[in-house]
Amino acid sequence: ISAAPFLTSLDLSNDAPKGRTGSKAQLSAFASRKTSSEALPSIGIGAIGAKALAGALAKGKSVLTSLDLSINSIGETGAEALARALAKGKSFLTSLDLSNNSIGETGAEALARAFASGRLTLTLLNLQCNDIGPKGAKALANALASGEVALRFITLDTLALPVGQLRGTEPVEMLDLSSKGLGVLSAILIAKLIEYNTALTSLDLNNNAIGAPGTQALMEALASGRAVLTSLNLFGNCIGNDGVVAIADALQSGESVLSLLVSPKQVSAV
C-alpha cells in the first residue's frame, strides 16, 4: 500500500479463510493501479499479513483511509502490530474493521495504548466477535474516556456505540440504546464514558443483555458522583441477584440516579 498513491479504501475481508498464501502477491499486483478502492476477497492474511500491512502504515506513505480486515485470523500478534503502527501517527486511517479476528484482550489492550497516544485518526472501529473480555473492554474504555480521541463509533457487540454522545463531546441529554443486543462489553464501555459526561441525563438500555457484570459497571460509574444521569432504564436485562445488589449499593451511596427502571421481579429482591 506504500506504493499505491491513489488507494484510500482496501477491503481484505475474508468469508472463507484460506491461509496466508497469495496475499503478498495479490497486494503487489494492484499496488500501481490508479484506483481509490480495492476489494480482495478470501485472502486470509493472518498475523503475517497484518504485520506487513502495519509496516506499510507505519511508513506514512499510504493515503489509505478505510481498511477492512474482518475474518482474517490476525490474532493478538497482528492486532499489536497494527496498533503500534497506528500509534506512530503517520497513518490517515479513519475506518478500521477488525471484527472476527481473535485479537483477545491482549490485542484490545494494544489498541487502547494506541488510543492513549493521542495520535490515532480513527473515527470508526469494529471489534465485534474478538473475545476481548471485560479486561480488554475496560482498557479501551479507560483510553477513550481519558484521552483526546477522534473516534466517534466503536462496535464491541452488535451496535456501533456513539462514543461522542456517551462521552459528552457530542452532547445530548437523552440517549436510547434499547433493544440493540448490547452485552457486558458494551455496558463496561458505556459505564466508563458516561462517568465523565456532564450533559447526558437519560439513558435507555431496556431489553439488552448486559447482565449482572454490566449492571455492576454502570452502578460503579454512577456511584462515583461524576455523572449527571438522572434516569436509567435497565428493564429486561437479566441482571440477577448480583445486579440488584449493585443497584442497592449505588442507591445507598447517595450519588446515584433519581429514576431507575428494572423489572418488578428484580426490584422486589432489593
Side-chain angles (χ1 to χ4, degrees), residues 80-102:
E80 285 179 311
L82 287 168
R84 286 193 298 269
L86 294 175
K88 291 183 180 295
K90 296 182 179 181
S91 166
F92 295 95
L93 270 188
T94 58
S95 176
L96 179 60
D97 189 341
L98 295 180
S99 58
N100 293 274
N101 268 295
S102 302

Side-chain angles (χ1 to χ4, degrees), residues 5-240:
F6 299 96
L7 188 67
T8 59
S9 178
L10 180 58
D11 184 352
L12 296 176
S13 57
N14 182 17
D15 291 330
K18 296 180 180 178
R20 302 178 183 125
T21 58
S23 60
K24 185 175 181 179
Q26 284 177 293
L27 285 169
S28 299
F30 75 82
S32 61
R33 295 181 190 176
K34 294 183 178 181
T35 177
S36 62
S37 177
E38 284 289 345
L40 300 180
S42 300
I43 291 179
I45 68 170
I48 291 178
K51 285 182 178 179
L53 284 169
L57 291 172
K59 292 178 181 178
K61 296 180 180 180
S62 170
V63 295
L64 199 66
T65 59
S66 178
L67 180 59
D68 186 347
L69 295 180
S70 57
I71 321 176
N72 265 290
S73 301
I74 70 170
E76 61 184 42
T77 302
E80 285 179 311
L82 287 168
R84 286 193 298 269
L86 294 175
K88 291 183 180 295
K90 296 182 179 181
S91 166
F92 295 95
L93 270 188
T94 58
S95 176
L96 179 60
D97 189 341
L98 295 180
S99 58
N100 293 274
N101 268 295
S102 302
I103 72 170
E105 67 179 35
T106 299
E109 288 172 339
L111 287 167
R113 290 193 295 272
F115 277 114
S117 73
R119 297 174 180 172
L120 270 64
T121 54
L122 285 180
T123 59
L124 178 64
L125 177 62
N126 188 349
L127 296 179
Q128 187 177 8
C129 300
N130 267 297
D131 298 321
I132 69 172
K135 188 176 179 180
K138 287 178 181 177
L140 287 165
N142 288 331
L144 295 178
S146 58
E148 292 295 328
V149 295
L151 195 70
R152 298 191 62 219
F153 296 97
I154 184 171
T155 305
L156 299 183
D157 293 312
T158 58
L159 177 74
L161 295 171
V163 174
Q165 293 180 351
L166 288 166
R167 285 187 70 192
T169 53
E170 298 176 26
V172 293
E173 292 184 4
M174 296 183 293
L175 190 56
D176 186 354
L177 298 179
S178 61
S179 304
K180 302 298 184 183
L182 302 179
V184 174
L185 302 183
S186 288
I188 289 172
L189 186 76
I190 290 170
K192 192 62 179 179
L193 295 184
I194 65 171
E195 184 177 339
Y196 301 93
N197 192 326
T198 57
L200 188 67
T201 59
S202 177
L203 178 61
D204 190 348
L205 294 175
N206 171 42
N207 194 31
N208 282 293
I210 71 171
T215 303
Q216 290 169 335
L218 288 165
M219 293 304 110
E220 287 174 6
L222 296 177
S224 71
R226 288 185 285 266
V228 297
L229 204 66
T230 58
S231 177
L232 177 61
N233 187 347
L234 294 179
F235 194 93
N237 269 284
C238 300
I239 67 174

Side-chain angles (χ1 to χ4, degrees), residues 234-254:
L234 294 179
F235 194 93
N237 269 284
C238 300
I239 67 174
N241 292 334
D242 290 341
V244 173
V245 171
I247 291 173
D249 290 342
L251 292 174
Q252 291 175 2
S253 74

